[in-house]
Amino acid sequence: MELKRVVVTGLGALTPIGNNISEYWDGLVNGKSGCAPITYFDTEKFKTKFACEVKNYNPTDFFDRKEARKLDRFAQYALISAGEAIEDANIDLDKVDKFRVGVIWGAGIGGLQTFQDEVVNFAEGDGTPRFNPFFIPKMIADIAPGNISIKHGFMGPNYTTVSACASSANAMIDALNYIRLGHCDVVVTGGSEAAVTQAGIGGFNAMHALSTRNDDPETASRPFDATRDGFVLGEGAGGLILEEYEHAKARGAKIYAEVIGGGMSSDAHHMTAPHPDGVGVERVMLNCLRDAGLEPKDVDAINTHGTSTPLGDVAELKAITKVFGEHTKNININSTKSMTGHLLGAAGAVEAIASILAMEHGIVPPTINHSTVDENIDSSLNLTLNKAQRREVKVAMSNTFGFGGHNACVLFKKID
Amino acid sequence: MSDIASRVKAIIVDKLGVDENEVVPEASFTNDLGADSLDTVELIMEFEKEFDIQIPDDQAENIATVGQATKYIEEAK
């Protein structure tokens, strides 16, 4: 059976460096850091006192008070970014078959603030279980796509993918495949996360996963720098409209790019540590290239997982070199996490959007905060350090890897 | 308006996001004030907390209007 072609026809973003697509792109090309001291809670006793929060965010700008109260931040962010993408794509429910429009979303955790608040409230009581009736429906990770469908009336496939930091890449790959196979005309996809909470920071701190550069938060997320000391927790959302090519053409939709392949693999090694030989990471890129029917030499840019952890960054670059061989030095490699921090389940979506916008504008956003060369990293690689680079990008790859050993990779191609 | 009635009204305005003028004694939570089943459970829990009372489930089922809530709480206190 012949697979359908799938294109991107709408984008939305709510990120630590910009609250919509245009602000996000401005932040990306200008190398803006989204990191600052945490404002949500008192960090006095926490090892890490900073994060990439969404700035100037007021829920009542988007929701009435009653609605906002029933939505955890991760679901609010989902509705906002999906709403921007739906508007951008100009999807009119009267003109599409609503049963063939799905919502497949990614979230690594879900409503962590809600979970924390309710459990703390219970623990401080006399043991009587007085949980709010909205506790569970606010917290569960699948409520984000549930709410998107309720708001917009989309009645196709609807669920959340959970694979930690690869979650929204998995969501995009599922969306791609449903449309390819002819099950859907349109899928609203992407991911959202809002884990900047005491439980989130404390939990990741306990794993020694976070940077502790408290004296200079702005430069804390510094992928590929020799002094990197862990990732910076970020929050926000990215939304994408994936659509069957003929369907998009027939309604005269703006087409950003074609989604040409998705790859998945598993490390089968350790709960949190990357495989030392990068076997799974190498395989995920090979799977993705094969799925897209491309050769390594076809790829112009790679937005890496690049979280700014000592082990992960080097392992990923070694795997890239293995897959791309001599061509590696011709590729613009970057990590936009240097600016946004690590959006966990939303990372795949916001980074895919960065790749798509790089193709659209012919500019590769930088890996900021690099000052010290790491001897373990091949100096012939173009890591797009500190300044954006003009370059025609015809094919862009986006990598994401999650705790649990989940690897996911997506390839986008410019449509002339 | 009694103290209890005005506190009941404040909770309903806050939780259901409705206008104060709509919260009249005969107003039904679900038919007039836009509450769904979860909103109604939350309202009962808020009444219990605010007035330090217990409202058993079988009696909560009979509290469908603003007036019924006020009356129940006045009698329970």
CSV table of all heavy atoms in Angstrom, one decimal, chain A residues 65-66 69-70 128-134 137, chain B residues 13-16 34 38-39 41-42 45 48-49:
chain,number,residue,atom,x,y,z
A,65,ARG,N,-11.9,32.4,34.7
A,65,ARG,CA,-11.3,31.9,36.0
A,65,ARG,C,-11.7,30.5,36.3
A,65,ARG,O,-10.9,29.7,36.8
A,65,ARG,CB,-11.7,32.9,37.1
A,65,ARG,CG,-10.7,33.1,38.2
A,65,ARG,CD,-11.1,34.2,39.1
A,65,ARG,NE,-12.6,34.2,39.4
A,65,ARG,CZ,-13.2,33.4,40.3
A,65,ARG,NH1,-12.4,32.6,41.0
A,65,ARG,NH2,-14.5,33.4,40.4
A,66,LYS,N,-13.0,30.2,36.0
A,66,LYS,CA,-13.5,28.8,36.3
A,66,LYS,C,-12.7,27.8,35.5
A,66,LYS,O,-12.3,26.7,36.0
A,66,LYS,CB,-15.0,28.8,36.1
A,66,LYS,CG,-15.6,27.5,36.4
A,66,LYS,CD,-17.1,27.5,36.0
A,66,LYS,CE,-17.7,26.1,36.2
A,66,LYS,NZ,-18.9,26.0,35.4
A,69,ARG,N,-9.1,27.3,36.7
A,69,ARG,CA,-9.0,26.5,37.9
A,69,ARG,C,-9.0,25.0,37.7
A,69,ARG,O,-8.5,24.2,38.5
A,69,ARG,CB,-10.1,26.9,38.8
A,69,ARG,CG,-9.8,27.2,40.3
A,69,ARG,CD,-10.9,27.9,41.0
A,69,ARG,NE,-12.2,27.5,40.6
A,69,ARG,CZ,-12.8,26.3,41.0
A,69,ARG,NH1,-12.2,25.5,41.8
A,69,ARG,NH2,-14.0,26.0,40.6
A,70,LYS,N,-9.6,24.6,36.6
A,70,LYS,CA,-9.8,23.1,36.4
A,70,LYS,C,-8.7,22.6,35.5
A,70,LYS,O,-8.7,21.4,35.1
A,70,LYS,CB,-11.1,22.9,35.7
A,70,LYS,CG,-12.3,23.2,36.5
A,70,LYS,CD,-13.6,22.9,35.8
A,70,LYS,CE,-14.8,23.2,36.6
A,70,LYS,NZ,-16.0,23.0,35.8
A,128,THR,N,-8.4,12.0,56.8
A,128,THR,CA,-9.6,11.9,56.0
A,128,THR,C,-9.3,12.3,54.6
A,128,THR,O,-8.7,13.3,54.3
A,128,THR,CB,-10.7,13.0,56.5
A,128,THR,OG1,-10.8,12.8,58.0
A,128,THR,CG2,-12.0,12.7,55.9
A,129,PRO,N,-9.7,11.4,53.7
A,129,PRO,CA,-9.3,11.6,52.3
A,129,PRO,C,-10.2,12.7,51.6
A,129,PRO,O,-11.2,12.4,50.9
A,129,PRO,CB,-9.5,10.3,51.6
A,129,PRO,CG,-10.5,9.6,52.4
A,129,PRO,CD,-10.3,10.1,53.8
A,130,ARG,N,-9.9,14.0,51.8
A,130,ARG,CA,-10.7,15.0,51.2
A,130,ARG,C,-10.0,15.6,49.9
A,130,ARG,O,-9.5,16.7,49.9
A,130,ARG,CB,-10.8,16.2,52.2
A,130,ARG,CG,-11.5,15.7,53.5
A,130,ARG,CD,-11.5,16.8,54.5
A,130,ARG,NE,-12.3,17.9,54.1
A,130,ARG,CZ,-13.6,17.9,54.4
A,130,ARG,NH1,-14.2,16.9,55.0
A,130,ARG,NH2,-14.4,18.9,54.0
A,131,PHE,N,-10.0,14.7,48.9
A,131,PHE,CA,-9.4,15.1,47.6
A,131,PHE,C,-10.4,15.9,46.8
A,131,PHE,O,-11.6,15.6,46.8
A,131,PHE,CB,-8.9,13.9,46.9
A,131,PHE,CG,-7.7,13.2,47.5
A,131,PHE,CD1,-7.8,12.2,48.4
A,131,PHE,CD2,-6.4,13.7,47.3
A,131,PHE,CE1,-6.7,11.6,49.1
A,131,PHE,CE2,-5.3,13.1,47.9
A,131,PHE,CZ,-5.5,12.1,48.8
A,132,ASN,N,-9.9,16.9,46.1
A,132,ASN,CA,-10.7,17.7,45.2
A,132,ASN,C,-11.2,16.8,44.1
A,132,ASN,O,-10.4,16.0,43.5
A,132,ASN,CB,-9.9,18.8,44.7
A,132,ASN,CG,-10.8,19.8,43.9
A,132,ASN,OD1,-11.2,19.5,42.8
A,132,ASN,ND2,-11.1,20.9,44.5
A,133,PRO,N,-12.5,16.9,43.7
A,133,PRO,CA,-12.9,16.0,42.6
A,133,PRO,C,-12.2,16.2,41.2
A,133,PRO,O,-12.3,15.4,40.4
A,133,PRO,CB,-14.4,16.4,42.5
A,133,PRO,CG,-14.6,17.6,43.2
A,133,PRO,CD,-13.5,17.7,44.2
A,134,PHE,N,-11.6,17.4,41.1
A,134,PHE,CA,-10.8,17.7,39.9
A,134,PHE,C,-9.4,17.2,40.0
A,134,PHE,O,-8.6,17.3,39.0
A,134,PHE,CB,-10.9,19.2,39.6
A,134,PHE,CG,-12.2,19.6,39.2
A,134,PHE,CD1,-13.0,20.4,40.1
A,134,PHE,CD2,-12.8,19.3,38.0
A,134,PHE,CE1,-14.3,20.8,39.8
A,134,PHE,CE2,-14.1,19.7,37.7
A,134,PHE,CZ,-14.8,20.5,38.6
A,137,PRO,N,-8.8,14.3,37.2
A,137,PRO,CA,-8.9,14.7,35.8
A,137,PRO,C,-8.0,15.9,35.5
A,137,PRO,O,-7.7,16.2,34.3
A,137,PRO,CB,-10.3,15.1,35.6
A,137,PRO,CG,-10.9,15.2,37.0
A,137,PRO,CD,-10.1,14.3,37.9
B,13,VAL,N,-19.9,31.8,43.9
B,13,VAL,CA,-19.4,32.8,42.9
B,13,VAL,C,-18.0,32.4,42.6
B,13,VAL,O,-17.5,32.4,41.4
B,13,VAL,CB,-19.5,34.2,43.5
B,13,VAL,CG1,-18.6,35.2,42.7
B,13,VAL,CG2,-20.9,34.7,43.6
B,14,ASP,N,-17.2,32.0,43.6
B,14,ASP,CA,-15.8,31.7,43.4
B,14,ASP,C,-15.6,30.4,42.6
B,14,ASP,O,-14.9,30.4,41.6
B,14,ASP,CB,-15.1,31.6,44.8
B,14,ASP,CG,-13.6,31.2,44.6
B,14,ASP,OD1,-12.9,31.8,43.8
B,14,ASP,OD2,-13.2,30.2,45.3
B,15,LYS,N,-16.3,29.4,43.0
B,15,LYS,CA,-16.1,28.1,42.4
B,15,LYS,C,-16.7,27.9,41.0
B,15,LYS,O,-16.2,27.3,40.1
B,15,LYS,CB,-16.6,26.9,43.3
B,15,LYS,CG,-15.8,26.8,44.6
B,15,LYS,CD,-14.4,26.4,44.4
B,15,LYS,CE,-13.6,26.6,45.6
B,15,LYS,NZ,-12.1,26.5,45.4
B,16,LEU,N,-17.9,28.5,40.8
B,16,LEU,CA,-18.6,28.4,39.5
B,16,LEU,C,-18.3,29.6,38.6
B,16,LEU,O,-18.7,29.5,37.4
B,16,LEU,CB,-20.1,28.2,39.7
B,16,LEU,CG,-20.5,27.0,40.6
B,16,LEU,CD1,-22.0,26.8,40.6
B,16,LEU,CD2,-19.8,25.7,40.0
B,34,GLY,N,-24.6,26.4,35.7
B,34,GLY,CA,-23.6,25.8,34.8
B,34,GLY,C,-22.6,24.8,35.5
B,34,GLY,O,-21.6,24.5,34.9
B,38,LEU,N,-18.9,17.2,38.7
B,38,LEU,CA,-17.7,17.4,39.5
B,38,LEU,C,-17.7,18.7,40.3
B,38,LEU,O,-17.3,18.8,41.4
B,38,LEU,CB,-16.4,17.3,38.7
B,38,LEU,CG,-16.1,15.9,38.0
B,38,LEU,CD1,-14.8,16.0,37.2
B,38,LEU,CD2,-16.0,14.8,39.1
B,39,ASP,N,-18.3,19.7,39.6
B,39,ASP,CA,-18.4,21.0,40.3
B,39,ASP,C,-19.3,20.9,41.5
B,39,ASP,O,-19.0,21.5,42.6
B,39,ASP,CB,-19.1,22.0,39.3
B,39,ASP,CG,-18.2,22.5,38.2
B,39,ASP,OD1,-17.0,22.7,38.4
B,39,ASP,OD2,-18.7,22.6,37.1
B,41,VAL,N,-19.8,18.3,43.4
B,41,VAL,CA,-19.0,17.6,44.5
B,41,VAL,C,-18.1,18.6,45.1
B,41,VAL,O,-18.0,18.6,46.4
B,41,VAL,CB,-18.2,16.4,43.9
B,41,VAL,CG1,-17.4,15.8,45.0
B,41,VAL,CG2,-19.2,15.3,43.3
B,42,GLU,N,-17.4,19.4,44.3
B,42,GLU,CA,-16.5,20.4,44.9
B,42,GLU,C,-17.2,21.4,45.7
B,42,GLU,O,-16.7,21.7,46.8
B,42,GLU,CB,-15.7,21.1,43.7
B,42,GLU,CG,-14.5,21.9,44.2
B,42,GLU,CD,-13.8,22.6,43.1
B,42,GLU,OE1,-14.5,23.1,42.2
B,42,GLU,OE2,-12.6,22.8,43.3
B,45,MET,N,-17.9,19.9,49.1
B,45,MET,CA,-16.7,19.8,49.9
B,45,MET,C,-16.3,21.2,50.4
B,45,MET,O,-15.8,21.3,51.6
B,45,MET,CB,-15.5,19.3,49.0
B,45,MET,CG,-15.7,17.8,48.8
B,45,MET,SD,-14.3,17.2,47.7
B,45,MET,CE,-12.9,17.5,48.8
B,48,GLU,N,-18.5,22.0,53.4
B,48,GLU,CA,-18.0,21.2,54.6
B,48,GLU,C,-16.8,21.9,55.2
B,48,GLU,O,-16.8,22.0,56.4
B,48,GLU,CB,-17.6,19.8,54.1
B,48,GLU,CG,-18.8,18.9,53.7
B,48,GLU,CD,-18.4,17.5,53.3
B,48,GLU,OE1,-17.2,17.3,52.8
B,48,GLU,OE2,-19.1,16.6,53.6
B,49,LYS,N,-15.9,22.4,54.4
B,49,LYS,CA,-14.7,23.0,54.9
B,49,LYS,C,-15.0,24.3,55.6
B,49,LYS,O,-14.6,24.6,56.7
B,49,LYS,CB,-13.7,23.2,53.8
B,49,LYS,CG,-12.3,23.4,54.2
B,49,LYS,CD,-11.3,23.1,53.1
B,49,LYS,CE,-11.0,24.4,52.3
B,49,LYS,NZ,-10.2,24.2,51.1
